[in-house]
Structures are given as C-alpha cells and as structure tokens.
Amino acid sequence: MTVINLNLDKKFDNVKLNREVVAGGKTYHLVFNDEMYQKIADLQIAEASLLDQLDKRKEEFVDKMNVTQRQEFMRDSLDKALKNLEESLDKILGKGEGQRLYKYYGESTYLLGRVAEELIKLNDQINGDQELNYERKKQAVRDHYTKGHGKKRG
C-alpha cells in the first residue's frame, strides 16, 4: 500500500487574507475572511436597497413633487446613504470610524462611498484570487491525471 502525504498547510500557504488598508490617515489591519465577506455583503445590500427605494419613487419625484418636496427628498436620501455608509464602515473598520472618515474626507458622502467601494473591490479581488488559485490547482490535478497517466498496464 502506498502512503500519500498531503500537507494542506503548504498547499494553502499562498492564500493571503490579511491586508493593511490606509484610509483617513489611519492604517487598518483587516482580515478578509467569512466575517468580513458578510459585513461587505451587508453594506452592498443596504446600498442596493436604498437605490431600489429611490428608483421606485423616481416617477413621483419627476411628476408629482414640487421643488420643496424634491429638496426634502434629496436631503433624506443623502442622509440615509450617509447613515448606511457610516454604520457599515463602523462594522468593517471599527466603532466610530465611519463618522471619523466622513469628517476626514471633508464631510463628503461621495468620498465615503468611494472608501466603501474600494473595500468592496479589495474583497472581490481577494475572493477572486482565491477562486482563481483553486481553479488552477484543480486544472493541474486534472492535467496530471489525464496526460499520459491513463495508459493501460499490461
């Protein structure tokens, strides 16, 4: 009987989940594991829900609201977006960090959104890299067993 040694630690050594991220003059040490994946997914869901709500009221905004109502609607929408971003960044970076970054970036919801967008991109890149590495390894195993190793013994 042949013994096959498999060192999974060595196999997964190239998977790097830890990243240092600098935002607002501060360095964050983040781990892009399942917990981070969920926090970022929650951020995306909150923002998508807000956009969906805005889209549903688009016709009302154009056809039925007067100038004052439109201004109030836009203020409320911006406030909701800011609140979602601050709460999500607090979960991702630590309590109070959403507000701190908002102030650091000149009280710009747009720039705070860009910070969140970059974290989403990094999360996608890391998960994509892991998936790509896994697919390469699967292909290497397939290639090993299909190229010349399938000959009949005789």
Side-chain angles (χ1 to χ4, degrees), residues 128-144:
D129 287 349
Q130 289 175 359
E131 193 173 306
L132 183 60
N133 287 337
Y134 177 70
E135 289 302 319
R136 284 183 187 151
K137 288 175 187 173
K138 277 186 12 185
Q139 186 61 46
V141 169
R142 271 190 229 113
D143 290 348
H144 174 74

Side-chain angles (χ1 to χ4, degrees), residues 2-127:
T2 304
V3 175
I4 299 174
N5 293 321
L6 177 63
N7 184 340
L8 293 177
D9 292 341
K10 189 174 183 179
K11 187 172 197 130
F12 299 129
D13 189 42
N14 66 337
V15 177
K16 305 292 183 212
L17 299 176
N18 298 327
R19 294 291 194 277
E20 284 189 359
V21 174
V22 177
K26 183 175 178 181
T27 301
Y28 300 92
H29 302 279
L30 304 177
V31 180
F32 286 83
N33 56 13
D34 290 347
E35 181 181 356
M36 180 64 73
Y37 184 85
Q38 187 60 54
K39 290 174 184 178
I40 289 181
D42 290 347
L43 164 66
Q44 291 174 300
I45 290 167
E47 291 303 306
S49 296
L50 180 60
L51 290 173
D52 188 46
Q53 289 173 8
L54 293 173
D55 193 48
K56 286 179 181 176
R57 296 197 60 198
K58 186 168 113 179
E59 190 175 309
E60 178 185 353
F61 181 85
V62 172
D63 295 336
K64 297 178 182 173
M65 290 184 187
N66 62 35
V67 172
T68 303
Q69 290 170 320
R70 287 178 182 176
Q71 290 170 335
E72 185 177 315
F73 177 79
M74 292 305 294
R75 267 193 299 278
D76 289 346
S77 298
L78 191 60
D79 288 346
K80 286 178 186 176
L82 176 59
K83 183 179 180 214
N84 284 344
L85 286 167
E86 286 180 341
E87 288 175 357
S88 295
L89 290 172
D90 282 355
K91 290 176 187 173
I92 294 167
L93 302 174
K95 186 175 173 134
E97 289 303 300
Q99 179 67 30
R100 188 189 76 76
L101 289 171
Y102 178 67
K103 289 188 182 301
Y104 184 91
Y105 289 114
E107 298 185 350
S108 169
T109 302
Y110 170 76
L111 289 176
L112 197 61
R114 292 298 310 270
V115 169
E117 183 181 311
E118 290 302 318
L119 291 170
I120 291 167
K121 283 182 192 176
L122 181 57
N123 185 62
D124 290 348
Q125 175 194 1
I126 290 168
N127 286 311

